[in-house]
């Protein structure tokens, strides 16, 4: 977690553990990024439309088995997400559920989260592990990781050539050298989403240790093979970092539980 996030986190924790308001601000709004949130968000909206249309054509759109569970968990996470930044409070958070093998879970820049029920069934996800998966994806939207990646990529290309957001996605698709150079940026984004996701889900009432079941399974299934350009760090490293955050996550979880108990009539 970077220095900005640590400073903001300290302020929020001071409020909770001194008996103040339960809202804890864990995230930050990045600055000095290229393009606007709107420009990046429009591409995300188009991606969502294409994803939904493709799933509908193949009768893979919508939940079949985990509808109430998914919506309950997502709604609890949205309450915490909206308290993180001014932008997050205004995002049109939404959950799109598919039932197909090749989707897993991913997020788009404006708070649209897509998850496949196949992932839930294949991994046997508990509520806590599922909360971590959803919160991880929401963290990408909160921290504007897509916009950060686009900005980092642009800085590595000749500045005299004007590029749009779609131009940058073409570069990512065909410029292997650029993608390889951006590996550290991609990995840092995953670490940040892991950490923020863990803490957000803890605030929403999901026990931190059980959240880690998802990453523990990822470690168990890791065969050690890595693509030439790896968008994600090794599962072992991700789990180690998450385990380092467990004491903080437990404090947030317990504080949230005390606040919930205190608010009951």
């Amino acid at each position: 977690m970077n220095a900005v996030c640590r400073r903001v986190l300290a302020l929020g924790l001071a409020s909770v553990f001194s008996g103040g308001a339960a809202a804890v601000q864990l995230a930050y709004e990045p600055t000095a990024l290229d393009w606007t949130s709107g420009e990046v968000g429009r591409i995300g909206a188009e991606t969502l439309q294409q994803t939904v249309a493709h799933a509908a054509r193949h009768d893979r759109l919508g939940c079949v088995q985990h509808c109430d569970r998914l919506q309950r968990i997502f709604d609890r996470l949205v309450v915490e997400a909206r308290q993180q930044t001014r932008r997050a409070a205004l995002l049109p958070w939404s959950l799109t559920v598919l039932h197909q093998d090749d989707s897993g879970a991913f997020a788009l820049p404006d708070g649209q989260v897509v998850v496949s029920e196949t992932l839930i069934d294949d991994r046997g996800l508990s509520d806590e592990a599922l909360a971590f998966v959803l919160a991880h994806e929401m963290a990408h939207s909160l921290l504007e990781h897509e916009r950060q990646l686009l900005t980092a990529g642009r800085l590595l290309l000749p500045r005299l050539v004007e590029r749009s957001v779609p131009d940058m996605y073409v570069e990512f698709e065909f410029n292997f050298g650029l993608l390889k150079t951006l590996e550290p940026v991609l990995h840092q984004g995953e670490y940040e989403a892991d950490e923020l996701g863990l803490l957000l889900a803890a605030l929403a009432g999901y026990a931190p240790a059980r959240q880690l079941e998802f990453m523990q399974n990822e470690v168990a299934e890791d065969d050690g093979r890595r693509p030439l350009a790896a968008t994600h760090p090794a599962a072992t490293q991700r789990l180690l970092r998450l385990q380092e955050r467990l004491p903080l996550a437990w404090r947030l979880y317990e504080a949230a539980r005390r606040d919930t108990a205190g608010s009951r009539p």
Side-chain angles (χ1 to χ4, degrees):
M1 193 175 290
N2 62 35
V4 174
C5 205
R6 283 197 297 270
R7 287 198 297 271
V8 174
L9 178 57
L11 292 173
L13 289 176
S15 171
V16 169
F17 300 128
S18 64
V24 180
Q25 187 179 2
L26 302 167
Y28 61 93
E29 293 199 28
T31 59
L33 299 181
D34 286 338
W35 300 286
T36 65
S37 296
E39 288 175 291
V40 178
R42 280 193 291 275
I43 301 299
E46 292 174 5
T47 299
L48 180 61
Q49 290 175 357
Q50 294 167 4
T51 300
V52 167
H54 179 271
R57 284 196 302 270
H58 294 84
D59 195 26
R60 297 294 185 183
L61 179 63
C63 61
V64 174
Q65 188 176 355
H66 304 282
C67 308
D68 292 342
R69 182 178 169 218
L70 274 163
Q71 197 61 56
R72 181 183 73 252
I73 295 171
F74 185 70
D75 287 345
R76 286 171 64 173
L77 292 171
V78 168
V79 171
E80 302 303 331
R82 288 194 185 282
Q83 299 184 66
Q84 297 308 307
T85 64
R86 292 180 181 178
R87 175 177 170 273
L90 301 174
L91 284 179
W93 294 99
S94 67
L95 179 65
T96 299
V97 184
L98 313 175
H99 46 277
Q100 57 189 35
D101 297 335
D102 59 349
S103 295
F106 62 92
L108 297 164
D110 280 350
Q112 307 100 330
V113 178
V114 179
V115 63
S116 174
E117 283 192 305
T118 305
L119 174 69
I120 302 172
D121 292 331
D122 288 350
R123 304 300 173 88
L125 298 183
S126 64
D127 281 6
E128 292 84 359
L130 180 53
F132 170 77
V133 170
L134 295 177
H136 169 100
E137 299 305 336
M138 295 169 76
H140 282 307
S141 298
L142 277 167
L143 299 175
E144 295 195 78
H145 280 153
E146 194 78 0
R147 195 170 162 218
Q148 291 192 44
L149 180 66
L150 289 164
T151 299
R154 188 176 189 178
L155 291 172
L156 294 171
L157 297 171
R159 296 289 290 179
L160 295 179
V161 179
E162 188 65 28
R163 288 178 174 83
S164 65
V165 175
D167 292 336
M168 290 303 304
Y169 284 118
V170 172
E171 289 282 354
F172 291 158
E173 185 172 359
F174 294 104
N175 189 338
F176 175 79
L178 176 63
L179 192 60
K180 184 66 178 177
T181 305
L182 287 170
E183 259 190 9
V185 179
L186 290 162
H187 290 190
Q188 181 61 28
E190 294 302 320
Y191 287 135
E192 289 183 357
D194 281 346
E195 293 173 3
L196 180 53
L198 173 71
L199 301 181
L200 275 177
L203 282 174
Y206 294 99
R210 292 213 65 190
Q211 288 186 54
L212 265 57
E213 292 171 358
F214 175 80
M215 197 56 63
Q216 289 164 347
N217 289 337
E218 292 290 296
V219 170
E221 295 181 6
D222 189 356
D223 61 8
R225 291 182 294 181
R226 296 288 177 268
L228 291 177
T231 59
H232 289 62
T236 302
Q237 293 302 314
R238 295 174 68 183
L239 179 59
L240 286 173
R241 290 199 178 207
L242 284 167
Q243 289 170 333
E244 290 173 356
R245 296 297 175 196
L246 274 179
L248 174 56
W250 276 114
R251 293 175 70 189
L252 290 172
Y253 172 72
E254 293 296 343
R257 290 186 65 188
R258 287 195 300 270
D259 182 72
T260 300
S263 65
R264 292 172 186 158

